Amino acid sequence: MILDLLSNAEAYFSLSTGIARAFEFLRSTDFKAVRPGRIDLHESDLYALVSSYVTRPACEGAWEAHRKYADLQYMAEGEERIGYGPLPAFAQGVYDAGRDFVPLLGSGDFAALREGGFMLLFPWDAHMPGIASGNPSAVLKVVVKIPVSAG
């Protein structure tokens, strides 16, 4: 898991071609002018999900992980907390290959994801996104799905 500001993105370009392309997309797009939904990037398996939603209390959150994709979660507007932890510390549910989604049970730590910041989560990172920092509030978030084999 990496937590940083988009202004520092170049420091992570060498991790993979897919990660570099994802950061280039984030840096070159005005998300306040983009409609929510899926945006295919460069290759059909590198894509972004633009979402506008209201954060929720931690008691309503759910832990998850992915096997095929890393998540580059970027906060375009607003703030939320994201839970994170090492995957081996969580009990894994049944993997849904169609959604690349594994539900998890366990507990971890939380970090604030503020406007202009990102969290890069790999398949070995459990995470719980969308949690309110205080009272629930509206956010505009972009999640770029990066194939772990990219680069």
Side-chain angles (χ1 to χ4, degrees), residues 65-71 87 100 121-126 146 148:
H66 311 290
R67 292 185 181 167
K68 297 177 188 174
Y69 289 90
D71 277 1
L87 186 59
D100 186 37
L121 297 147
F122 297 95
W124 51 85
D125 295 319
I146 305 163
V148 291

Side-chain angles (χ1 to χ4, degrees), residues 65 85-92 102 104-107 122-126:
L87 186 59
F90 290 78
Q92 296 186 30
V102 124
L104 305 170
L105 290 175
S107 61
F122 297 95
W124 51 85
D125 295 319

Side-chain angles (χ1 to χ4, degrees), residues 81-126:
R81 292 184 323 132
I82 297 181
Y84 65 93
L87 186 59
F90 290 78
Q92 296 186 30
V94 176
Y95 176 64
D96 180 340
R99 296 182 345 166
D100 186 37
F101 180 86
V102 124
L104 305 170
L105 290 175
S107 61
D109 296 311
F110 285 82
L113 183 60
R114 295 182 178 93
E115 192 167 321
F118 71 85
M119 184 179 275
L120 180 56
L121 297 147
F122 297 95
W124 51 85
D125 295 319

Side-chain angles (χ1 to χ4, degrees), residues 17-26 28-29 38-48 144-147 150:
T17 302
I19 288 172
R21 288 180 177 160
F23 278 125
E24 288 169 354
F25 167 72
L26 292 176
S28 66
T29 305
R38 179 180 168 137
I39 301 169
D40 291 318
L41 308 170
H42 300 283
E43 306 92 27
S44 62
D45 56 352
L46 178 68
Y47 64 95
V144 182
K145 303 296 276 186
I146 305 163

Side-chain angles (χ1 to χ4, degrees), residues 53-56 77-80 130-140:
Y53 59 88
V54 174
T55 58
R56 60 191 180 275
E77 191 172 272
E79 177 180 337
E80 72 180 30
I131 304 304
S133 290
N135 291 325
S137 61
V139 299
L140 176 61

